[in-house]
Amino acid sequence: MAKGKLTFGDIDVSVNVPAGTRVIEVSEKVGAGIIYGCREGDCGTCLMSVDEGIENLSEPSALEDKVLKENMAGKDMRLACQAQVIGEGETIVKPA
Amino acid sequence: MNKNAKAVEIAKDIHWVGAFDPDLRVFDLILKTANGTTYNAYVVRGSEGVAVIDTVKEEFSDAFFERLEQVVAYEDITAVILNHLEPDHVGAAPELMRRAPQARIYVSNRGLKLLNATLKDELEMYAYTLTNDGDQVSLGDRTLTFVHTPYLHWPETKCTWVEDEKILFSCDVFGSHFCDERLYNDLVGDFRFSFEYYFKHIMRPFKRFVLEAMDKIEPLEPALIAPSHGPILRDHPMEYVRSYRSLSASRLPNEMEGKEKSLLIFYMSAYGATADMARSVYEGASDVDGVRVSLYDLQGGETDPFVDLIEEADCLVFGSPTINGDAVKPVWDVLASLISIETKGKFGAAFGSYGWSGEAVPMIEDRLRGLKMRVPEKGVRIKFHPTEQELEDCTAFGRSIAETLCGKAKPKVVDFADL
């Protein structure tokens, strides 16, 4: 199975993750500073900035797009509870 | 109906139309109030429109509408400005909109979901505008300007500024739970304790946002501050602005040099095992340059002073034995008290000795994560008393936390399956 490298820039921890893994599944386990509210793509609490490799993440759903717009998120921002690692390269994320 | 429900003119064509709640003793479960509180709402009349700024808690709607009707006809209301959408301010808003459906609602851009939750299906019947910082509403000869103050104390909170009278409608900012029908700060009883108590319970976790807001408010030099709770501040209003700034400033003298980080270790120990671990963690962390490490036995202190220390620390490490499958109460007392300060982004870790199952460490880690802290180092748990080797593990644990804290740790690479 394809694996991507997901790096949490705020704690300098990288995790090799299988394709399809949501960021939330990893960030909580490694103790990164991305925080969560509803965990369902509604509240916008888990907004994170993607410093590198945004192309390695799944495209935002219509729901995520709406929440990103409501939170005036930049183009390099995603919701950690929605974004899945799908590519093989390195993706560097940190709390927004 | 209350015969004494009179609107009060606080400036020319600007009225207070709020409600008194003298019998309230606990607000929002967390604030005590010996004097009750007020729900302040205001009406601003211009040559081409009338704005209602905030409303009251729903149970006090009668007094609000009675006062409102004394100064404006519902059909003349053009704007309903909701500075903050907590129920104590928007309780009467649904009924106000039913009575004045032609009015346009103004909430800050982050308030839409809350507006939806306030008005439910009725929202589609009304016009609303989501405001940005600096947006204005004209009432003809009067202009209202929105001063966004996010996180004082909800994300959508804003103030409304009337330039011609130099009045700031500040909602919860500069508020206090203090009920006195004399209404003005120079007439009511001594409410300083309520003002500071309110700050400590409502604004304290958002100090850095308070400082940003004061940067916007100070240059306005308001001549009158009209908050949504407690006395209207017309006598030396800038003193209250300065007070917010000083209450938000660092509480401790900054004795640390440059970029030195502060790491605090708190522990409890039943038989000395967790205490031995604590000393080893302390020694390890102290080995790292650029980190000031402190060690505290929770048996020897009260919770509140520890919370004050934690507020300005960069990293918190808690040591607890496991008793009956749980961390011990003094540890939870400190952890539960941290809701009154900002903990987001601080580093955290846990360790502890145990006999059977050792739940204390992961439970503390969960709480630290719940406080929005970073917990990158897996906690150390040791069964009974630590051996020399285990104490060395504790020392390495302390060193690793300190290195991570000051950015000296080597980047880690792990496999998902090992998490």
Side-chain angles (χ1 to χ4, degrees):
Chain A
M1 183 186 290
K3 281 196 170 183
K5 185 177 179 185
L6 183 58
T7 296
F8 297 91
D10 65 325
I11 53 170
D12 251 351
V13 172
S14 302
V15 186
N16 297 316
V17 300
T21 305
R22 283 182 200 278
V23 175
I24 187 174
E25 295 173 54
V26 193
S27 55
E28 292 198 301
K29 286 183 175 164
V30 300
I34 300 165
I35 56 171
Y36 296 93
C38 71
R39 296 156 193 272
E40 294 171 357
D42 188 46
C43 72
T45 306
C46 64
L47 201 63
M48 63 177 182
S49 69
V50 184
D51 289 355
E52 277 181 36
I54 198 161
E55 67 279 6
N56 298 323
L57 297 176
S58 58
E59 288 290 317
S61 64
L63 169 70
E64 185 183 346
D65 248 344
K66 179 170 168 285
V67 175
L68 290 170
K69 278 180 188 145
E70 282 173 4
N71 284 279
M72 293 174 290
K75 285 182 179 172
D76 58 347
M77 296 172 108
R78 294 292 306 272
L79 298 182
C81 73
Q82 299 295 299
Q84 293 172 276
V85 175
I86 52 166
E88 294 190 355
E90 182 176 15
T91 309
I92 303 177
V93 299
K94 66 177 186 211
Chain B
M1 285 291 195
N2 180 356
K3 290 177 188 169
N4 298 318
K6 297 283 186 197
V8 178
E9 189 169 47
I10 62 170
K12 187 174 182 311
D13 289 334
I14 298 179
H15 288 83
W16 173 88
V17 291
F20 297 115
D21 184 3
D23 299 325
L24 185 80
R25 291 294 172 266
V26 179
F27 186 90
D28 265 5
L29 305 177
I30 59 168
L31 282 95
K32 293 195 173 184
T33 169
N35 307 73
T37 194
T38 64
Y39 309 103
N40 299 335
Y42 303 92
V43 175
V44 180
R45 181 178 288 278
S47 59
E48 293 173 26
V50 177
V52 176
I53 301 177
D54 294 326
T55 72
V56 300
K57 195 174 178 182
E58 190 177 9
E59 300 96 288
F60 296 84
S61 297
D62 286 352
F64 165 72
F65 286 117
E66 192 175 346
R67 290 188 171 101
L68 184 66
E69 288 168 9
Q70 292 166 19
V71 295
V72 65
Y74 291 114
E75 57 270 28
D76 293 340
I77 298 172
T78 52
V80 170
I81 295 166
L82 303 175
N83 278 335
H84 170 38
L85 288 103
E86 213 172 355
D88 53 323
H89 308 298
V90 297
E95 179 59 24
L96 175 61
M97 293 312 299
R98 284 175 212 129
R99 298 184 187 198
Q102 77 290 344
R104 176 174 285 272
I105 304 167
Y106 294 86
V107 297
S108 69
N109 44 29
R110 299 195 72 178
L112 180 57
K113 283 186 180 176
L114 297 172
L115 184 63
N116 226 322
T118 302
L119 295 172
K120 309 290 184 190
D121 294 341
E122 293 177 43
L123 177 59
E124 63 190 38
M125 298 189 289
Y126 312 124
Y128 63 85
T129 295
L130 303 181
T131 66
N132 284 306
D133 191 33
D135 283 357
Q136 296 186 321
V137 175
S138 174
L139 301 177
D141 59 348
R142 267 195 166 124
T143 300
L144 309 181
T145 304
F146 299 122
V147 180
H148 279 207
T149 52
Y151 296 101
L152 272 71
H153 57 121
W154 277 17
E156 96 298 0
T157 310
K158 71 178 188 305
C159 300
T160 301
W161 171 242
V162 182
E163 173 66 34
D164 67 331
E165 299 283 353
K166 297 193 84 62
I167 295 178
L168 184 74
F169 296 97
S170 61
C171 200
D172 279 339
V173 186
F174 309 120
S176 50
H177 288 309
F178 189 88
C179 184
D180 189 320
E181 297 194 9
R182 291 170 289 187
L183 212 57
Y184 293 105
N185 65 320
D186 53 314
L187 301 179
V188 302
D190 195 336
F191 69 105
R192 287 172 298 172
F193 74 102
S194 296
F195 185 85
E196 294 195 5
Y197 179 81
Y198 185 93
F199 178 92
K200 284 176 186 167
H201 285 80
I202 301 293
M203 300 297 167
R204 187 177 176 186
F206 309 102
K207 281 182 173 181
R208 63 193 169 99
F209 295 102
V210 172
L211 292 173
E212 287 175 13
M214 293 310 109
D215 287 344
K216 292 182 185 176
I217 291 170
E218 271 170 347
L220 300 175
E221 296 190 350
L224 184 147
I225 295 174
S228 289
H229 296 295
I232 295 171
L233 311 171
R234 67 177 180 184
D235 185 43
H236 294 89
M238 287 302 288
E239 288 294 325
Y240 297 89
V241 179
R242 282 190 278 276
S243 178
Y244 257 45
R245 188 171 277 287
S246 68
L247 287 167
S248 301
S250 174
R251 292 166 59 88
L252 300 171
N254 185 6
E255 296 169 347
M256 298 198 298
E257 293 174 11
K259 293 181 178 175
E260 195 176 21
K261 301 281 188 181
S262 166
L263 186 156
L264 311 182
I265 303 166
F266 298 93
Y267 70 94
M268 290 283 285
S269 192
Y271 291 96
T274 302
D276 286 346
M277 294 176 73
R279 281 187 283 273
S280 293
V281 173
Y282 172 81
E283 284 166 18
S286 300
D287 280 347
V288 178
D289 288 338
V291 179
R292 177 82 64 98
V293 188
S294 309
L295 182 64
Y296 304 100
D297 183 346
L298 287 172
Q299 283 195 79
E302 302 285 342
T303 298
D304 283 354
F306 287 140
V307 173
D308 290 345
L309 294 181
I310 288 169
E311 184 170 26
E312 298 194 6
D314 302 295
C315 179
L316 317 176
V317 184
F318 287 90
S320 174
T322 298
I323 296 181
N324 290 341
D326 203 346
V328 294
K329 184 174 180 293
V331 171
W332 284 126
D333 286 344
V334 172
L335 290 170
S337 300
L338 300 185
I339 60 160
S340 62
I341 61 170
E342 182 174 18
T343 50
K344 180 182 172 186
K346 292 184 193 291
F347 282 87
F351 63 89
S353 165
Y354 66 101
W356 286 106
S357 46
E359 291 93 335
V361 169
M363 290 171 90
I364 293 169
E365 289 174 328
D366 279 348
R367 172 62 179 155
L368 296 176
R369 280 190 281 268
L371 288 164
K372 303 169 186 172
M373 292 171 59
R374 292 178 272 182
V375 190
E377 201 74 32
K378 192 172 171 58
V380 177
R381 301 188 304 158
I382 291 171
K383 204 169 177 75
F384 287 163
H385 268 80
T387 63
E388 283 303 313
Q389 177 56 52
E390 286 169 330
L391 287 176
E392 284 178 23
D393 293 343
C394 292
T395 304
F397 175 69
R399 189 181 301 118
S400 180
I401 295 164
E403 285 174 345
T404 302
L405 175 63
C406 58
K408 292 178 180 171
K410 290 178 184 164
K412 284 183 203 163
V413 180
V414 294
D415 198 80
F416 186 57
D418 296 330
L419 290 174

